[in-house]
Amino acid sequence: MTLPDLIRESRERMQISQRELATRAGLAQGTVSKLERDQHEPDAYTLERIATTIGADPMELIVLARASAKLRRDEHQEQRMHRNRQTSAVVAAKRGR
């Protein structure tokens, strides 16, 4: 399970909105939204607030956050490598003309 999945599923199980989770955790609603979309790397304070609010172990959230960040980095690296291969192919094709 990823950090965004854990947060979203916990919030839905609690039957509360992102805004309500944010209010209970003392965070901005946008922060919760970004966390659920895996578009934010949370600091320890944010993870602790979320964990306390959803009743999760803060260490579990830290481990999941690190795994999510590594996955994002790996995906970005793969995308860069793919673009580089495409660029190389275009350059090679132009040279072959």
Side-chain angles (χ1 to χ4, degrees):
M1 175 174 285
T2 65
L3 179 64
D5 292 337
L6 176 65
I7 294 171
R8 185 181 316 99
E9 289 176 15
S10 297
R11 178 181 59 76
E12 289 172 351
R13 191 171 37 258
M14 295 168 70
Q15 298 181 341
I16 60 174
S17 65
Q18 288 180 348
R19 184 180 309 268
E20 180 62 22
L21 175 58
T23 299
R24 290 182 187 187
L27 302 169
Q29 188 269 329
T31 300
V32 173
S33 176
K34 287 178 181 179
L35 286 169
E36 288 189 3
R37 290 181 285 131
D38 202 19
Q39 295 181 342
H40 178 69
E41 287 193 40
D43 58 20
Y45 173 80
T46 300
L47 289 172
E48 188 273 328
R49 298 301 312 144
I50 291 287
T52 300
T53 304
I54 65 175
D57 177 8
M59 287 307 294
E60 179 183 5
L61 267 62
I62 290 169
V63 169
L64 288 173
R66 287 183 179 165
S68 293
K70 182 181 181 329
L71 182 60
R72 264 194 314 278
R73 284 190 304 272
D74 291 348
E75 288 173 351
H76 289 294
Q77 183 178 2
E78 181 60 35
Q79 289 170 354
R80 282 192 303 273
M81 290 171 55
H82 180 69
R83 281 192 303 271
N84 289 343
R85 285 191 296 270
Q86 287 178 324
T87 301
S88 296
V90 169
V91 169
K94 286 182 179 181
R95 287 184 185 160
R97 285 186 187 173

